[in-house]
Amino acid sequence: MTDPLTGTRLAPMNTPFPGRWIGGVTLIAGPMIMCAGYLLRYLSTITALTPQQQAWAEAQPFAAYGQLLAYTSAPALLTLSYAVFALGALLLFPAFVTLAQQVGGHLAHWGATLLVIGLFARLYFAGADQTTFQLTEVSGLDQATSAIMKEYVDISYGPWRVPVWASAGQYAGSLLLATAAWRSGLLGTARAVMVLLAGGTWMGVLKGASIPDVLVTGLLCVALVPLGLRILRDRPPTTTGRPKALSW
């Protein structure tokens, strides 16, 4: 196909993006790194805080109090955990696109689009997290915490509330994509439920991770990593039509 204005040869409209190698690698690395990010966020918080500080943090109305306190105690460890988490969100972008391409159909495409929009929201939250951490470096913990919590709702919702509305895409998108993957037969009932559960993890600024967050993201690895391996081996997964109610 050639551009009639410039004469430049264009790739066919059905050229796959992001391709076999990027798609296969991110289906493997994306959920694994995201799972590692949840695990590091959980471990870094309980490592940085004493039992008394943990009890105090759990008594606060928002997890942000404990996260800011943990950062001042172990800034390098908290920075590492948040960075790995953000990297996982980045890698899941091409992973979800690849999954939708393997499934095919409007339902899968809508699901992947909404999931990617939710990932953009995660990156906004990651930027807000980093900004609040740096405020503790400049202003000290008490003053920074007071200022942040005073404006916490506006920081979390973002300009015109675009990020918080975008974050809803994760929940709706995971439902649509998991349903489409199940209907096509690409994923059985068990693996489709794993994708759906992983879409239910929290979104927002300065959130604390928990063991359930780690577990459901680990299930996402179980659901997607075999698919990524098959794609890298140039063995496209076969679909068998709608599977039985109990299937892998």
Side-chain angles (χ1 to χ4, degrees):
M1 185 170 108
T2 303
D3 188 328
L5 297 178
T6 64
T8 304
R9 185 171 179 79
L10 303 176
M13 288 298 291
N14 62 352
T15 298
F17 167 81
R20 178 165 69 93
W21 287 103
I22 295 175
V25 168
T26 54
L27 278 168
I28 297 169
M32 292 179 68
I33 292 176
M34 179 62 86
C35 184
Y38 275 112
L39 180 60
L40 284 171
R41 285 179 74 152
Y42 170 72
L43 293 177
S44 62
T45 301
I46 64 174
T47 300
L49 300 180
T50 66
Q52 293 77 15
Q53 289 174 327
Q54 291 180 36
W56 173 84
E58 291 173 359
Q60 303 308 308
F62 296 102
Y65 290 95
Q67 293 298 294
L68 292 170
L69 178 59
Y71 178 80
T72 59
S73 300
L77 185 57
L78 265 291
T79 299
L80 172 64
S81 67
Y82 276 71
V84 172
F85 185 84
L87 178 60
L90 282 171
L91 293 177
L92 283 175
F93 175 2
F96 287 141
V97 171
T98 302
L99 176 58
Q101 287 178 337
Q102 294 295 315
V103 174
H106 294 299
L107 191 63
H109 295 163
W110 272 106
T113 298
L114 291 172
L115 276 169
V116 169
I117 289 173
L119 293 175
F120 289 162
R122 285 199 183 277
L123 293 180
Y124 167 82
F125 298 141
D129 292 335
Q130 178 68 5
T131 301
T132 59
F133 287 151
Q134 294 308 304
L135 281 176
T136 66
E137 301 273 4
V138 175
S139 304
L141 176 61
D142 292 340
Q143 187 172 347
T145 300
S146 177
I148 292 164
M149 298 316 300
K150 183 178 180 181
E151 302 295 333
Y152 183 74
V153 172
D154 288 337
I155 293 172
S156 298
Y157 285 5
W160 286 5
R161 304 197 173 191
V162 171
V164 74
W165 282 111
S167 66
Q170 172 184 283
Y171 309 109
S174 62
L175 175 60
L176 295 179
L177 188 54
T179 301
W182 179 80
R183 289 180 62 187
S184 72
L186 183 69
L187 300 180
T189 306
R191 292 167 68 195
V193 169
M194 292 175 186
V195 172
L196 180 61
L197 289 175
T201 53
W202 47 259
M203 302 277 278
V205 176
L206 294 174
K207 299 294 186 181
S210 64
I211 290 297
D213 297 322
V214 179
L215 292 177
V216 295
T217 315
L219 292 176
L220 185 65
C221 298
V222 175
L224 299 186
V225 167
L227 179 61
L229 291 173
R230 290 184 65 92
I231 291 174
L232 289 178
R233 292 170 182 164
D234 202 15
R235 295 168 55 192
T238 57
T239 58
T240 58
R242 185 176 299 181
K244 297 179 180 179
L246 297 178
S247 58
W248 178 250

